[in-house]
Amino acid sequence: MSNIPTDLRYASTHEWVRPEGDGVFTVGISEHAQDLLGDMVFVDLPDVGDQVSTGDDVAVAESVKAASDVYAPISGEIIAVNTDLEDSPELVNSDSYGDGWLFKIKADDVEEFEGLLDAEGYENSIDEE
């Protein structure tokens, strides 16, 4: 059973989203997703300033098993990326909800956050996989 924090929201494509205030959200991939991928070897992050729409592929998480696209869970502007992942992609494995975050986004519409899955909904979605 994967750890699924209840204070986050989730996309069905396994990204988690944490509100930081003022319309800013931190995004990463769930513990379940990183567990499926295995040991991370590289993370290709978006550029700060990129304007993204919900569902756009914005990053790539490459592991020893496969490369997987990471999708924007909400629309907005990328305002920060986790540059620590350039030298330490394994942070996604060791602390997927903390130091392994991928990027921060300034939402065009903060209401999109409410449309994402809560922890129970996400757990149900991965149980059906």
Side-chain angles (χ1 to χ4, degrees), residues 8-94:
L8 305 177
R9 292 290 180 130
Y10 302 86
S12 60
T13 48
H14 306 294
E15 293 81 13
W16 58 260
V17 182
R18 174 184 296 124
E20 304 293 350
D22 293 331
V24 174
F25 297 87
T26 300
V27 177
I29 61 172
S30 70
E31 184 178 285
H32 173 75
Q34 67 80 25
D35 192 45
L36 289 176
L37 287 168
D39 294 337
M40 290 294 153
V41 294
F42 180 74
V43 179
D44 184 24
L45 296 167
D47 292 325
V48 172
D50 282 357
Q51 189 71 33
V52 300
S53 298
T54 303
D56 286 353
D57 55 338
V58 295
V60 176
E62 187 173 334
S63 71
V64 294
K65 292 182 181 176
S68 181
D69 289 332
V70 177
Y71 302 96
I74 55 178
S75 299
E77 180 183 353
I78 304 296
I79 61 167
V81 296
N82 187 354
T83 55
D84 290 344
L85 298 179
E86 293 172 4
D87 293 328
S88 303
E90 67 276 7
L91 289 171
V92 174
N93 298 112
S94 64

Side-chain angles (χ1 to χ4, degrees), residues 1-4 11-12 14 30 32-33 36 117-129:
M1 177 63 67
S2 295
N3 176 27
I4 304 173
S12 60
H14 306 294
S30 70
H32 173 75
L36 289 176
L117 297 169
D118 61 13
E120 183 179 345
Y122 180 65
E123 183 174 6
N124 290 337
S125 77
I126 60 177
D127 285 346
E128 294 171 3
E129 289 183 350

